[in-house]
Amino acid sequence: MTSPGLDPEGTRIQLIATSDDVVRARQLVRTLAVGCGLSLVDQTKLVTAASELARNTLSYGGGGTMSALPVERNGRRGVRLSFTDEGPGIPDIDLALRDGWSSGSGMGLGLSGARRLVDEFELRTVVDEGTTVTVVKWSR
Amino acid sequence: MSERLPILRIGGNLLVSIQADLDDQTVMNLQEDLAEHVVRHGARGVIIDITAAEIVDSFVGRMLSTIASISRLLDAETVVVGMRPAVAITLVELGLSLGGVRTALNLEQGLAILAERSSAGPAAR
Ligand SMILES: Nc1ncnc2c1ncn2[C@@H]1O[C@H](COP(=O)(O)OP(=O)(O)OP(=O)(O)O)[C@@H](O)[C@H]1O
Ligand SMILES: [Mg+2]
């Protein structure tokens, strides 16, 4: 059975077009993190990372989507999140991932901090085409 | 859907509670509302209770620092109370130290900090 926003493999899609959607994305991630048995601290880390990435998708990418999926590997469960936009892309990845660097008025902690808060982090970006950030947090 | 959080008065202090699921605009509104209340009521202290906040991200963290700075310019001290242990751990890993923001474990201790400050009198400020 498939419901809206849920594909046959269990991926949930959350649109990120308003700051209310950032709130919804956090709530969805919390639900999945609890369901996958993440500890309270790991839930908090993943939801915080999701909040940072969703806000970047909204404010720099001009909006996009978050797809969220419970995953399993070697008997460990986890949550995988992908934040995708078709915005301007990131010209200098190293700079963007540096603590404290922001092209705007932010603190420049979102990307670099999110990377520290998760177990796996992948950033794909093409200038003028868009950005996808994928993260995974595993239960211990 | 942004909202405005209620700001309560306790003696000469202001108290506001933050929930986890505030959207960014509500957070911005709070910054402005608090500054206005500090001046209107001549408040000497601001307590921000984050007991109910399940996360504090860089946006909310920056707002806490900004409120502390604004209040200081308006001669009021800000104390953030009730941070959850998981939130503290996450904030450090995120790289957010909340420098310049006073914290206390709970509301009672936060009020005690503010009371100490006001009893120290104008000379100590
Ligand atoms: N999805 C995106 N599309 C385009 N540029 C992005 C995207 N995400 C991040 N960036 C760029 O990377 C920079 C660093 O992002 P990061 O989240 O670390 O900091 P910030 O958003 O500027 O500040 P903070 O998150 O601390 O409030 C941003 O200033 C922006 O220039
Ligand atoms: Mg950011």
Side-chain angles (χ1 to χ4, degrees), chain A residues 37-117:
Chain A
L38 261 60
S39 71
L40 181 60
V41 170
D42 285 341
Q43 289 169 31
T44 306
K45 289 181 179 180
L46 184 63
V47 175
T48 305
S51 186
E52 297 297 340
L53 298 173
R55 186 176 294 106
N56 282 353
T57 298
L58 181 63
S59 45
Y60 302 111
T65 56
M66 176 186 80
S67 51
L69 178 71
V71 288
E72 193 162 345
R73 190 200 291 160
N74 303 329
R76 277 169 93 194
R77 291 194 295 161
V79 180
R80 182 165 71 214
L81 308 172
S82 276
F83 299 82
T84 302
D85 64 65
E86 294 176 356
I90 303 176
D92 188 336
I93 297 181
D94 290 339
L95 196 57
L97 278 170
R98 199 175 292 165
D99 260 355
W101 187 83
S102 169
S103 65
S105 60
M107 288 187 295
L109 289 175
L111 273 183
S112 52
R115 175 151 78 160
R116 282 189 292 272
L117 291 171

Side-chain angles (χ1 to χ4, degrees), chain B residues 19-108:
Chain B
Q19 254 80 57
D21 285 339
L22 298 187
D23 70 288
D24 291 356
Q25 188 53 49
T26 304
V27 172
M28 296 304 290
N29 292 346
L30 177 63
Q31 203 165 291
E32 288 172 24
D33 289 353
L34 267 178
E36 203 186 294
H37 275 66
V38 165
V39 172
R40 196 192 309 154
H41 303 297
R44 308 312 313 277
V46 174
I47 292 196
I48 303 178
D49 185 357
I50 60 169
T51 309
E54 292 182 338
I55 66 154
V56 172
D57 62 13
S58 67
F59 195 83
V60 171
R62 180 163 44 145
M63 181 273 295
L64 294 176
S65 297
T66 305
I67 287 176
S69 304
I70 294 173
S71 314
R72 201 170 297 123
L73 288 177
L74 300 174
D75 199 24
E77 181 164 9
T78 301
V79 184
V80 171
V81 306
M83 187 182 294
R84 299 178 179 203
V87 169
I89 291 168
T90 301
L91 271 179
V92 170
E93 206 156 307
L94 187 62
L96 212 77
S97 54
L98 293 193
V101 180
R102 280 211 75 163
T103 55
L105 286 184
N106 54 43
L107 182 57
E108 209 177 356

Side-chain angles (χ1 to χ4, degrees), chain A residues 3-22:
Chain A
S3 55
L6 181 68
D7 83 2
E9 288 170 349
T11 302
R12 309 264 206 114
I13 309 285
Q14 171 66 56
L15 190 70
I16 301 175
T18 67
S19 69
D20 276 343
D21 292 332
V22 176

